[in-house]
Amino acid sequence: MTVKKLMVIGAGQMGSGIAQVCAQAGYEVLLNDLKDELVGRGLGVIEKNLFRQVQKERITSQEKDEVISRISRSTDLQDANDVDLVIEAAVESMDIKRKIFAQLDEITPEHTILATNTSSLPITEIAAATKRPEKVIGMHFMNPVPVMKLVEIIRGLATADEVYQTIEDMTNTLAKVPVEVNDFPGFVSNRILMPMINEAIYTLYEGVATKEAIDEVMKLGMNHPMGPLTLADFIGLDTCLYIMETLHDGFGDDKYRPCPLLRKYVKAGWLGKKSGRGFYTYE
Ligand code: CAA
């Protein structure tokens, strides 16, 4: 099966990035969110990113306009009635994702593949909300999507081989590198990354070092592009907490218990860069 037209659900940080790279690779994209204002905001980010590429002379102004013209606005899931692929990047809630997938199962043609960009929720459970679990798959992009090369491709229990192959081929056309993983909590990326971030938060909580020192150790000592506390702010502390809770619940192992300081910050509304304050403050 060849993908020509797709819908991206969710015009936030991840969804707009996914829509951008798909449109840049030549796909016809519907960018969907609950309100047109949210879709507009996502398109604004895409335009800004493309404008930067024009300034750096990586693409021409005409190419930028062509990419934008391949993205259509949508606030109605019914618009997915003629797409080959849906990539869902809505909020990280199993209830919401299951509702969306059940609706998509009714709306989309039989051949349509339903992918989710979830960062840790079980693909198999999302797939069970549909009558086509063999066509449900995880496509986990990394933030910032236009920059990061990896896409974790997660097979649910019932995902068909040909569906996996279509998604692997499609990912290659986005100039990304697909890596196959199986469906376990946190997959590979967040099973390893989040406990490291959580441990960095414990290190701060226990007074082992200042936030700046913790970040500096990991940046200069391990060559990480960002220290773990800066990265946590960048990802969003609510997302970090949600993923730790998914690991904790999924494995029932206390080694994944979220740090109380992380819980406290999230309760305070200190969600990182997006809220202006997390471990650091932002303008
Ligand atoms: N959108 C688009 N492009 C962006 C961007 C964004 N939000 N942020 C930076 N860029 C681009 C810049 O335009 C620049 O492009 P060129 O090299 O083509 O000029 C390039 O990225 C580098 O940017 P900067 O020079 O401004 O900054 P930097 O060198 O510090 O890089 C970074 C920024 C790429 C974000 C880098 O700090 C980094 O790699 N950080 C780690 C990111 C990471 O770990 N991501 C994974 C998070 S986990 C996840 O996503 C999974 C999950 O489920 C939680």
Side-chain angles (χ1 to χ4, degrees):
M1 206 261 287
T2 316
V3 175
K4 289 199 180 108
K5 183 172 180 183
L6 61 100
M7 174 183 272
V8 177
I9 300 178
Q13 207 173 23
M14 297 304 288
S16 62
I18 296 167
Q20 179 187 324
V21 296
C22 291
Q24 283 197 274
Y27 294 98
E28 203 185 323
V29 180
L30 285 161
L31 182 57
N32 172 283
D33 210 315
L34 294 172
K35 289 188 189 148
D36 191 54
E37 183 195 331
L38 298 173
V39 179
R41 209 178 296 165
L43 275 167
V45 173
I46 295 172
E47 289 212 39
K48 216 169 99 188
N49 284 342
L50 293 174
F51 185 64
R52 230 179 15 237
Q53 291 187 22
V54 173
Q55 281 179 322
K56 288 178 187 163
E57 296 183 356
R58 298 216 175 103
I59 59 171
T60 63
S61 185
Q62 191 193 334
E63 280 165 339
K64 165 181 163 285
D65 294 343
E66 281 166 12
V67 172
I68 298 284
S69 73
R70 281 197 284 273
I71 307 176
S72 312
R73 303 164 88 111
S74 162
T75 50
D76 188 351
L77 279 190
Q78 288 292 339
D79 296 336
N81 62 12
D82 63 348
V83 300
D84 307 305
L85 169 68
V86 178
I87 305 176
E88 171 273 322
V91 290
E92 287 288 83
S93 148
M94 182 53 86
D95 284 351
I96 292 174
K97 289 196 194 290
R98 282 179 61 96
K99 272 188 200 131
I100 291 174
F101 274 70
Q103 285 181 63
L104 290 172
D105 196 25
E106 299 296 323
I107 295 166
T108 55
E110 214 178 301
H111 75 276
T112 306
I113 295 174
L114 307 179
T116 171
N117 177 56
T118 181
S119 54
S120 61
L121 292 171
I123 308 304
T124 306
E125 196 175 333
I126 297 172
T130 73
K131 291 190 253 355
R132 61 175 99 183
E134 72 288 354
K135 294 203 176 76
V136 178
I137 193 162
M139 269 182 106
H140 184 209
F141 291 79
M142 302 292 129
N143 189 13
V145 178
V147 180
M148 307 300 280
K149 287 278 170 222
L150 174 71
V151 183
E152 255 183 329
I153 313 275
I154 306 113
R155 283 181 187 266
L157 199 57
T159 308
D161 286 344
E162 58 269 27
V163 169
Y164 179 83
Q165 199 53 56
T166 302
I167 293 304
E168 187 180 67
D169 294 346
M170 191 262 177
T171 303
N172 281 319
T173 67
L174 304 177
K176 304 276 180 209
V177 179
V179 175
E180 178 180 355
V181 309
N182 284 318
D183 190 18
F184 284 94
F187 317 129
V188 171
S189 57
N190 281 321
R191 171 119 174 228
I192 297 173
L193 175 68
M194 276 311 153
M196 186 202 69
I197 287 178
N198 196 46
E199 203 57 34
I201 303 171
Y202 267 112
T203 312
L204 178 68
Y205 179 61
E206 291 169 7
V208 180
T210 63
K211 55 181 186 283
E212 292 84 1
I214 294 164
D215 275 350
E216 205 70 344
V217 165
M218 297 306 286
K219 264 176 72 175
L220 301 184
M222 283 72 191
N223 243 358
H224 289 192
M226 285 172 162
L229 300 172
T230 306
L231 182 57
D233 276 357
F234 176 69
I235 293 168
L237 300 191
D238 50 343
T239 304
C240 293
L241 178 58
Y242 191 77
I243 295 170
M244 283 312 295
E245 280 170 340
T246 305
L247 292 172
H248 199 199
D249 292 348
F251 291 113
D253 188 334
D254 272 352
K255 78 176 177 183
Y256 299 112
R257 72 215 177 286
C259 178
L261 189 63
L262 176 60
R263 287 194 191 283
K264 196 180 220 176
Y265 276 29
V266 172
K267 283 208 178 106
W270 295 7
L271 306 182
K273 209 168 171 190
K274 64 184 166 191
S275 73
R277 178 155 199 181
F279 293 105
Y280 299 90
T281 46
Y282 302 86
E283 290 301 312

